[in-house]
Amino acid sequence: MGAQFRFVHCADLHLGARFRGMSSADPAAAERMRRSVFESFGRIVDAGIAAKADAMFIAGDAFDEETVTPMTRQFLVDQLRRFGKPVFICRGNHDPRTEWEDSMPYPENVHEFATEPEALPIPGVDGAEAVGASFADWHEERNLPSMIRGTPGKFTVACVHCDVGASTPEYDYSPCSETDFRGKGVDYWAIGHIHKRAIVSRDPWVVYSGNIQGRSFKETGEKGACIVTVRDGRVSDVDFVATQGIVWYDEVLDITGKTFDALAAELSDRVAPGSAVRVTLVGTGQLDRMAREKPEDMARMLSQRIRSEVSGMEVRSMPEVDLEARRGGRDMLGLVISQGDSLRGSRKRILAMLSRNPVLKTEMRRFEAMSDDELASLVDSAVRTLASRMEASR
């Protein structure tokens, strides 16, 4: 092997997959989101060419079983042909076999690993090899990393789709542990399945590149691929390249004391234009009523202001309540305020009430250490919270 070579590591392309959690009625926005996955992979190919990468590894889930079409496969075929260098692919749990895929074969520079481990030289790179195995079934129960071995004296890159530290039996796919990657003669494990980028180990290198485009608020942040540089038979750099077209955010906004303009300005400062965001509203204020009565309008208005797509809005805020105006009322809220007034001046009654709650009783030492003012403030906070919740439910 020469002094240096580079390769691209990506996974979980999910080409053609639908976005989840989108509430937009704008067909143009929906189409932009659908295209973003394809565009992201196109940028990965661009980045590999620009970096003069010698190979590419795609660690499973190139497609998505719900949306795989001939056009989707042809796109991948064309992009891998454009890359031009050796490409190694393993199948994952979202890569179904179709009756028509053999009529659209991968170009000659592409090798798809079989369901049993294979080892092949990396063309054009002396002393380097690629090893890997594909899923035999959509719910692969075999521990694939434990089955893979590298060749002594060669720099070995392994390509596999797996679940490191799987904890839920019904969702684990090729379950394995970190120890399964050690002592196998593999220098870099290019793995896929988990959509969050992570370096599991550096000795040997075990890396999840993450997926290439977030599809919901559960997949926030930048997405893309890793470009790995090898010098003198060792990994010297693992550089992440962001290629996503849309960044997803999950933002919590406090409405307390804010107008709509102020809230929109705060969200605009947090979110890059052209992104998608789920908003959760907390706090107490006048905006609570608008959010509860006209959530779609509010989401649309925020989208226009921040030049991004508000994909959903969860209202956990509460309305403001004028306690003075409601004091003395003969409704339930008036009774709550009256009870608070009677408690506020009696430390003994406050502590007695707290002690009657089995959960709060375990914290009695902390309450007993509070000053009279602190206990009164605790009562005020409880009354306001209960009053706000009662008002929100009206």
Side-chain angles (χ1 to χ4, degrees), residues 5 7 54-55 57 86 88 120-126 128-130 155 157:
F5 81 97
F7 60 88
D54 300 283
F57 292 82
F88 300 91
L120 302 93
I122 300 177
V125 183
D126 293 336
E129 68 174 355
F155 186 93
V157 182

Side-chain angles (χ1 to χ4, degrees), residues 239-254:
D239 297 317
F240 172 72
V241 179
T243 59
Q244 80 292 319
I246 300 169
V247 177
W248 283 77
Y249 295 83
D250 191 8
E251 297 294 327
V252 177
L253 297 175
D254 190 335

Side-chain angles (χ1 to χ4, degrees), residues 12-66:
D12 300 283
L13 317 185
H14 290 279
L15 295 173
R18 300 182 182 94
F19 278 66
R20 297 185 292 273
M22 299 308 301
S23 59
S24 173
D26 184 350
E31 177 61 17
R32 181 175 74 90
M33 292 172 188
R34 189 193 69 81
R35 291 200 313 266
S36 65
V37 183
F38 295 93
E39 293 168 352
S40 182
F41 186 69
R43 295 187 192 102
I44 289 173
V45 172
D46 292 340
I49 293 172
K52 298 182 179 179
D54 300 283
M56 177 183 292
F57 292 82
I58 302 177
D61 286 358
F63 302 106
D64 195 89
E65 78 276 11
E66 295 180 354

Side-chain angles (χ1 to χ4, degrees), residues 72 78 100 212 314 383:
T72 303
D78 292 343
W100 39 261
I212 68 171
E314 184 175 355
V383 169

Side-chain angles (χ1 to χ4, degrees), residues 98-230:
T98 65
E99 295 179 354
W100 39 261
E101 66 182 42
D102 289 341
S103 66
M104 308 173 73
Y106 285 128
E108 293 183 357
N109 61 311
V110 178
H111 178 81
E112 182 181 280
F113 288 110
T115 56
E116 295 296 327
E118 295 182 274
L120 302 93
I122 300 177
V125 183
D126 293 336
E129 68 174 355
V131 299
S134 288
F135 273 33
D137 182 73
W138 73 273
H139 195 170
E140 177 63 80
E141 296 181 354
R142 297 177 300 168
N143 182 338
L144 294 179
S146 69
M147 300 164 57
I148 290 174
R149 298 290 187 277
T151 303
K154 292 187 177 182
F155 186 93
T156 302
V157 182
C159 182
V160 65
H161 203 72
C162 59
D163 192 345
V164 182
S167 58
T168 309
E170 62 267 32
Y171 292 114
D172 60 0
Y173 300 91
S174 184
C176 59
S177 66
E178 189 175 335
T179 58
D180 292 316
F181 299 98
R182 297 174 186 157
K184 303 296 171 59
V186 174
D187 300 277
Y188 184 96
W189 292 85
I191 61 177
H193 183 58
I194 304 302
H195 288 189
K196 185 176 182 179
R197 187 169 73 256
I199 296 176
V200 178
S201 168
R202 285 181 166 83
D203 185 22
W205 284 87
V206 182
V207 180
Y208 276 118
S209 59
N211 57 339
I212 68 171
Q213 171 62 67
R215 291 182 290 152
S216 77
F217 68 88
K218 294 181 181 179
E219 299 176 351
T220 58
E222 293 183 322
K223 302 290 183 177
C226 296
I227 295 184
V228 183
T229 301
V230 179

